[in-house]
Amino acid sequence: DTAVSQTPKYLVTQMGNDKSIKCEQNLGHDTMYWYKQDSKKFLKIMFSYNNKELIINETVPNRFSPKSPDKAHLNLHINSLELGDSAVYFCASSSLAGDTDTQYFGPGTRLTVL
Amino acid sequence: AQSVTQLDSQVPVFEEAPVELRCNYSSSVSVYLFWYVQYPNQGLQLLLKYLSGSTLVKGINGFEAEFNKSQTSFHLRKPSVHISDTAEYFCAVTEASGGSYIPTFGRGTSLIVHP
């Protein structure tokens, strides 16, 4: 059973398009995250979201928006895709009440913008 | 605010040799410390973590790390590496005791194990 899953695994699209990446966790965690990993493996947090608050990394363009239909899902919507958006995007979850901040990561979505 | 410095971007080593991956952090408050491993084309997974207590922490796959508060370090070690340990290793820190739960990651160290 996959704890944190993402779809799609690969996404190839043209500049200017709008796309979404879906994330689901079945761990019962209360907090979910989106990270961007660039070609040099640098991991940058984009959003952190739980029932109470959305924390946005201020360097993230407002073309990126997280959408959470329920506690188990945090989708990432990207408008007007640009070449620089090409990266691997990771979803993660954690439990603030339990496992003391351990992050559980999904397998990643490799986004390629042409 | 905290920061994490991984001093080596790449560490090549021969199989069965010992290895140490270095991590230093900076924070004005107490922290929790983590090491994550990322195998090729996969997400990150937890290797080990330090929350409190014994400064020597043992993790999965024979790895261990030692928390040194005076040197603000949390170096990762393994006495004998395998080819399968080839991966990217990330050190991370969060604020302890109800502080910010959002982790700060280092830039990663690529461990390359040669036969």
Side-chain angles (χ1 to χ4, degrees), chain A residues 1-5 24-29 72 93:
Chain A
D1 290 340
T2 305
V4 182
S5 60
E24 176 181 3
Q25 54 95 3
N26 62 7
L27 297 167
H29 287 165
S93 70

Side-chain angles (χ1 to χ4, degrees), chain A residues 23-70:
Chain A
C23 176
E24 176 181 3
Q25 54 95 3
N26 62 7
L27 297 167
H29 287 165
D30 50 29
T31 306
M32 297 182 72
Y33 310 80
W34 276 105
Y35 290 86
K36 178 181 180 181
Q37 187 175 46
D38 64 23
S39 59
K40 295 184 178 179
K41 302 288 186 179
F42 179 53
L43 202 62
K44 168 183 155 180
I45 190 161
M46 303 175 72
F47 304 101
S48 164
Y49 183 79
N50 64 23
N51 286 341
K52 298 177 184 176
E53 63 180 346
L54 170 65
I55 298 177
I56 302 171
N57 184 327
E58 61 188 16
T59 67
V60 174
N62 58 14
R63 299 181 294 103
F64 290 80
S65 56
K67 298 187 191 305
S68 181
D70 55 57

Side-chain angles (χ1 to χ4, degrees), chain B residues 37-90:
Chain B
V37 60
Q38 183 181 25
Y39 297 106
N41 300 312
Q42 294 185 28
L44 282 72
Q45 58 182 278
L46 183 71
L47 262 183
L48 48 79
K49 59 185 176 184
Y50 171 79
L51 306 179
S52 64
S54 173
T55 58
L56 183 63
V57 180
K58 293 190 183 297
I60 62 171
N61 300 340
F63 283 94
E64 62 180 33
E66 185 151 23
F67 171 56
N68 187 319
K69 189 173 181 180
S70 62
Q71 296 186 9
T72 60
S73 68
F74 190 55
H75 300 335
L76 181 70
R77 293 190 288 260
K78 185 169 182 178
S80 175
V81 295
H82 300 133
I83 295 284
S84 59
D85 292 323
T86 294
E88 196 80 16
Y89 291 79
F90 292 91

Side-chain angles (χ1 to χ4, degrees), chain A residues 33 35 43 45 94 100-103 105, chain B residues 1-6 23-36 44 46 48-51 67-69 72-75 89-97 99-108:
Chain A
Y33 310 80
Y35 290 86
L43 202 62
I45 190 161
S94 70
T100 329
D101 303 353
T102 298
Q103 302 262 312
F105 283 80
Chain B
Q2 59 255 22
S3 65
V4 177
T5 303
Q6 291 183 243
C23 173
N24 287 88
Y25 70 92
S26 172
S27 178
S28 57
V29 299
S30 296
V31 296
Y32 296 141
L33 294 154
F34 305 80
W35 275 100
Y36 288 86
L44 282 72
L46 183 71
L48 48 79
K49 59 185 176 184
Y50 171 79
L51 306 179
F67 171 56
N68 187 319
K69 189 173 181 180
T72 60
S73 68
F74 190 55
H75 300 335
Y89 291 79
F90 292 91
C91 183
V93 60
T94 62
E95 291 182 5
S97 303
S100 172
Y101 58 86
I102 297 176
T104 300
F105 283 86
R107 297 188 70 95

